[in-house]
Amino acid sequence: MPGNENFDALFTPSPVAVVGASATPGKIGHSVLANLIEAGFKGDLYPVNPSTKEILGIKVLPDIEDLPLGVDLAVIAVPRSVAVDAARGLADRGVKAMIVISAGFKEVGKEGYFLEQQLIELAEKENIALLGPNCLGMINPHAGCNASFASGQPKPGNIAFFSQSGALCVAILDWAMGENIGFSKFISLGNKAVLDEAHMIEYLADDETTKVVLGYIENVENGREFLRLSQQVSHKKPIIMIKSGTTSAGAKAASSHTGAIAGSDNAYEAAFRQGGILRAGDVATLFNLAQAFSSQPLPKGPNLAIVTNSGGPGIMAADACENSSLVMASISAASAEKLQKVLPPWASLYNPIDIIGDAGVERYRDTLKVVAHDQNVHAVLVLLTPTAAIKDQIEDTARAIVEVAATTDIPFFACFMGKRSIQGGELVLQASGIPCYNFPEPAIKSLESMYSYKQWRSKAVPLHQTFERDLEGARSVIDAAQRSGHLEIVEFQAQELLKAYRLPTPRTRLARSSDEAAAAAREIGFPVVLKIASSSISHKSDVKGVLVGLQDEDEVREAFQDITFRAQRLRPEAHITGCLVQEMAPSRSKEVIVGFKRDEQFGPLIMFGLGGIYVEVLKDISFRLAPLSETDAREMMREIRSFLLLKGVRGEAAVNLDAIVHILLAMSQLSLDFPEIYEAEFNPILVDPERAMVADVRVTLGQ
Ligand code: ADP
Ligand code: MG
């Protein structure tokens, strides 16, 4: 693992070597050197190339062996066939960091994969901070260091950006320069052989020039580490990410609902949420958020004031606000009185504050001065439509906004609608760090993200309690299943597992004959439920192996015959033990489902949902990664759309939500206690206002 010194050598290097530097414009080895020079790199530059004496006025060394000791960073831009040798030679010269631009590694198949392994081994042995291979390079505009073959020089700023896609780097760089956006670091990760997103997040957390961390990733290398780090870092700085490739990897035949529904995107979504990472759906949103976070203070509360010179856009903005977690601020009576003095009688003094289409710069200024200092207002959005009255004062209006914003510590956003006539104003705002959007919705969305980040940051780091449970008891159930070669633990054995986790279950007896069933039912009390008991039948309803609402002994006897006969006919190969006789939950009970599936990257992914058609058809479910905190568990319940059904509709009492929380936490504990469990599901959990009971359980062991 490269140390701090090596990271510094990568991001603020001096001197720098360019291996494979070329005299031919257009070649990568030429672009890298030219970029370094153009960026005004202050340290020594050592191009290496056996067949050229001088490039762009700089003396070229024929061989890596000719490099002086103490080179911080080497950029490798030679064909892959010689890239590994070059890296070895550079390591011998004590080079601390490398950017391998060369392509043809893991991304092209087996041969490249083995070459990449060699790079990894070398980097690990020598603690080299190695970026790439197959990447565009790294730019640190503050250090005048452009060690990339991208075209163009971004200006310094406080946004760090890293990307797994080199092509996206190129596009974003071009776009950002067009938008006048600056960067603290601009990093192309390439194949992430050594350095990945987790390293970037960790490094950028303490990087003083970085205020906001942006990332584009297609996958995460080490999920648990990534989650742990983001949880820490996002308390210091906002991390905003795009994760593409959102298709589900849950294609593997799954034996439970959880397994069938939970895809890798659910795991990412949960990781981002629990790690405090803001997820952007597209590049435009990524940069809208970046602009807001990088330039404005976080809002202290949700109350937004909208000042507008036109009705329609004002209403659109108010609608967007209503549909967000923000609130339309109520302007205080004192402020309204002040506004009355500066606004025409037909203006609207209340939010959205409509200063009317004939407003000029002074009316904007007077209004903003009042609104910005109203105690009820936590953020201001200034809307401007280029009416005839203001068309020639748009830049002045922008300056007025900047002036008033400077007198407060609340965030200011502008929305100048249009394109041609507002451009000048937009530039003034951008240059002064007031985010300006062309439509109200992105402005509201950005502010909403800032508010939810603010709330997240003020929350304590979640507490994870450990549950009292009988680990040995649970272990013996799992061992027994493994010995018997069963991958699924169902019915009676699974009940033992529930007991070990002190989970409430309906009273249940195993009956081997109809007489035993009748006796068990009498003991439990009517009505009862009968279920087929066979370790090879895990989906009991598939063989009509569950009969509910049995009212007396005769019904129980008949049900026993019925169920066992049918099961024998439909599954001749199955060994049938008999039937489970079970206490029936009251009819007012609701069915919920709690399950988990082990995600390859992130570990146990816990799912919660309402049972029956809600989970199968509506997919009304929520996810979190283990370990769950109590807050996580409560949020999971609140998040599903049908939460209201649990809270009780039309005078119904709410079900016992605490009992569900307890079961969620126990499931989280079970998932972490036994890595050999691949999937587990309690379905259904029958819950009423008094209690929750796990009525069915299915545990699948990994192969
Ligand atoms: P399987 O999932 O193997 O088909 P379950 O044990 O989950 O079998 O039972 C199927 C359905 O029967 C449940 O979803 C629930 O609607 C109902 N059920 C099962 N056990 C009970 C019970 N103890 N009380 C009330 N209803 C039950
Ligand atoms: Mg079931």
Side-chain angles (χ1 to χ4, degrees), residues 21-45:
S22 164
T24 317
K27 286 211 159 173
I28 289 176
H30 183 88
S31 305
V32 175
L33 190 65
N35 270 342
L36 279 160
I37 295 169
E38 201 184 303
F41 186 65
K42 297 275 186 320
D44 287 331
L45 282 174

Side-chain angles (χ1 to χ4, degrees), residues 257 531 538 540-541 681-684 695-698:
H257 287 295
K531 301 182 180 182
S538 62
K540 299 176 284 296
S541 300
E681 188 170 88
F682 303 153
N683 179 25
D696 186 29
V697 52
R698 182 172 295 130

Side-chain angles (χ1 to χ4, degrees), residues 30-65:
H30 183 88
S31 305
V32 175
L33 190 65
N35 270 342
L36 279 160
I37 295 169
E38 201 184 303
F41 186 65
K42 297 275 186 320
D44 287 331
L45 282 174
Y46 298 108
V48 180
N49 184 334
S51 49
T52 316
K53 292 254 168 326
E54 198 190 281
I55 305 171
L56 298 166
I58 300 181
K59 186 174 160 247
V60 176
L61 303 177
D63 202 306
I64 287 169
E65 282 176 16

Side-chain angles (χ1 to χ4, degrees), residues 257 490 505-508 527-532 537-549 580-587 589 591 611-612 681-686 693-698:
H257 287 295
V490 288
T505 52
R507 269 172 295 155
T508 307
V528 292
V529 178
L530 243 63
K531 301 182 180 182
I532 186 73
I537 300 176
S538 62
H539 292 266
K540 299 176 284 296
S541 300
D542 287 358
V543 295
K544 291 215 179 75
V546 179
L547 291 176
V548 302
L580 296 181
V581 184
Q582 192 167 73
E583 169 189 0
M584 172 130 174
S587 57
S589 309
E591 296 194 12
E681 188 170 88
F682 303 153
N683 179 25
I685 296 162
L686 297 162
M693 301 190 296
V694 181
D696 186 29
V697 52
R698 182 172 295 130

